[in-house]
Structure formats: structure tokens, C-alpha cells
Amino acid sequence: PVVASSVRASNMSAPSADETFGAKVRESFEDFLNTFCSDPHGMQDASPAEDALQRDYLEQCKVMVNDDRTTLYVDFTHVNEFDAELADAIVIDYYLLEPYLRDGLRNVTDREHPSYGAREKVFYVCFYNLPTTLCVRDLKSKKVGKLLSFCGTVTRTSEVRPELAIGVFRCEVCNTDSDPVVQQFKYCEPVKCKNSSCPNRTAWALLTSSSDKSRFVDW
């Protein structure tokens, strides 16, 4: 079972507490994707060959791969039914856990469909049917980092633009490429060139060609 957030808080002084917590959630989420069936009665008469096909999210993974997509849609009531502690952890610590959930989906997809090249793709998990829906005026600072749904009226839309999610930068002093830099709600560059003999901390060029490892999402 997933360790509840309140229990984890008492162990925050331990090294890599967040990573340990995230890994446990990833394992539980993978177990959910691998085994959840919304019709357990139908599973009783299934043969071993039919068993996997009747599991909701393994079936959706197959459709996702066939359609060349990387987004899985998860009914949150299913998560809560499968493991209430897992559901609570996702709601409370969503910002921390979201990368681990995506990694869990990647692991399941890679195992079930090894020819899809899951390791080279960016996956997303979208939840719906959350237990509560907030109004826009209820989106206070205490909700930051949590999983929630809200309703409002759209008064204006704009064209879809690319948003940088992970950036790889080239040092303009020594031409060394940086490790991937995850963007944190703003444009983030490397702190220092990874070339130990280079003093650069400010001169960077974002690599954006299709062969580079920078990744963009729709904004």
C-alpha cells in the first residue's frame, strides 16, 4: 500500500524521502494499470488469453499505441476503488507525483508494446471524474500543487502555441550540450556549464531542431 502523505511528512529528514515516496506510488499506479477491471464478474469466466484484454487500462494502452498517442485517460473513481491511499496521495501531492505517474505509464506501455519505442516518448496521464469540482474563485494558493478540477466560462481562446517542457542548451562558450533541464513554470536555463573547465553560467542557446532532446507541449 501507498504511504499516506501525513506519514511521509514525519520522515522528510530522511535522504531521498520524496524519491522513495514517488517510487512507491509509481509501483502502485503500475499495479493499478496492469490489473484494474471495472467488470470483475466478467473476469471470472475469462480464459487466460482473454484476461489481459478485459483489463480497462491495458486495453486503453493498446488503443493509445494503435492511434500513436501518448495520453492515457483515467477515471479517478477507479483509482479510488482500487486503492484509496493511492488516490489520496495523488490528490495531495500531485505536483510531486506527476512525473512518477508518467513513468509508470511508460513502463507499462514499454512492457506491453515493446516495439512502440516508449522509452523515447513523453507520456501523460489525464484524470477525470474527480470527487469535487471547484469554481474559479475557489482556486486559492493552498490548492497549488494538488490535483483538482474546476469549472468556469471560457470568454476568449487563442491559437495553440508550443511550450517548452524540457530544454537542452548549448554552451555558447565551449559548445558543450547541457543535460535536459525541466522547466518550472518559467524559462529555466542550466545553472552552470557541465564542462568543468568552462566558467559559463549565462550564455546559452536552446536546441530546438527535431534531432535535439528539447521537448515541447501544446500551451
Side-chain angles (χ1 to χ4, degrees):
V2 175
V3 179
S5 181
S6 59
V7 175
R8 180 178 63 88
S10 64
N11 296 318
M12 286 303 291
S13 59
S16 302
D18 285 347
E19 287 81 1
T20 301
F21 177 56
K24 289 181 179 179
V25 168
R26 183 187 62 231
E27 292 172 2
S28 295
F29 187 63
E30 287 183 31
D31 190 31
F32 163 75
L33 296 179
N34 285 325
T35 63
F36 183 81
C37 177
S38 57
D39 184 17
H41 299 294
M43 294 291 294
Q44 294 176 358
D45 300 324
S47 67
E50 296 172 327
D51 182 77
L53 297 177
Q54 297 193 43
R55 299 189 188 277
D56 295 50
Y57 296 101
L58 290 184
E59 177 66 17
Q60 192 184 147
C61 275
K62 184 172 71 172
V63 174
M64 178 184 72
V65 168
N66 289 340
D67 292 344
D68 195 25
R69 294 185 289 105
T70 56
T71 300
L72 188 79
Y73 297 89
V74 176
D75 188 334
F76 197 76
T77 61
H78 291 170
V79 182
N80 195 54
E81 177 185 339
F82 178 79
D83 186 339
E85 285 189 348
L86 173 62
D88 289 343
I90 292 173
V91 168
I92 295 170
D93 282 312
Y94 181 70
Y95 180 69
L96 168 68
L97 297 176
E98 193 259 351
Y100 294 94
L101 300 176
R102 291 193 282 113
D103 285 346
L105 173 57
R106 179 186 292 110
N107 292 342
V108 170
T109 305
D110 188 48
R111 189 195 72 247
E112 294 292 320
H113 306 279
S115 63
Y116 190 51
R119 293 296 164 190
E120 305 302 321
K121 299 179 183 292
V122 180
F123 288 86
Y124 299 94
V125 180
C126 293
F127 294 99
Y128 63 96
N129 277 346
L130 270 70
T132 58
T133 300
L134 304 178
C135 296
V136 174
R137 63 175 177 271
D138 296 324
L139 299 179
K140 310 297 184 182
S141 59
K142 65 181 181 180
K143 301 293 186 182
V144 172
K146 302 184 185 302
L147 178 65
L148 53 84
S149 61
F150 64 92
C151 63
T153 302
V154 177
T155 59
R156 184 175 59 184
T157 62
S158 65
E159 62 179 309
V160 176
R161 298 185 177 93
E163 177 185 7
L164 181 64
I166 300 174
V168 175
F169 298 81
R170 178 160 295 162
C171 174
E172 294 184 332
V173 176
C174 69
N175 288 327
T176 299
D177 291 349
S178 74
D179 293 327
V181 178
V182 178
Q183 304 298 291
Q184 303 288 341
F185 303 111
K186 63 179 181 180
Y187 186 66
C188 299
E189 295 179 334
V191 175
K192 183 182 183 300
C193 181
K194 69 178 185 180
N195 181 350
S196 59
S197 62
C198 178
N200 178 40
R201 292 177 178 270
T202 58
W204 306 102
L206 176 65
L207 303 180
T208 59
S209 70
S210 58
S211 61
D212 297 323
K213 295 182 179 180
S214 296
R215 291 174 177 169
F216 293 84
V217 296
D218 289 343
W219 177 79

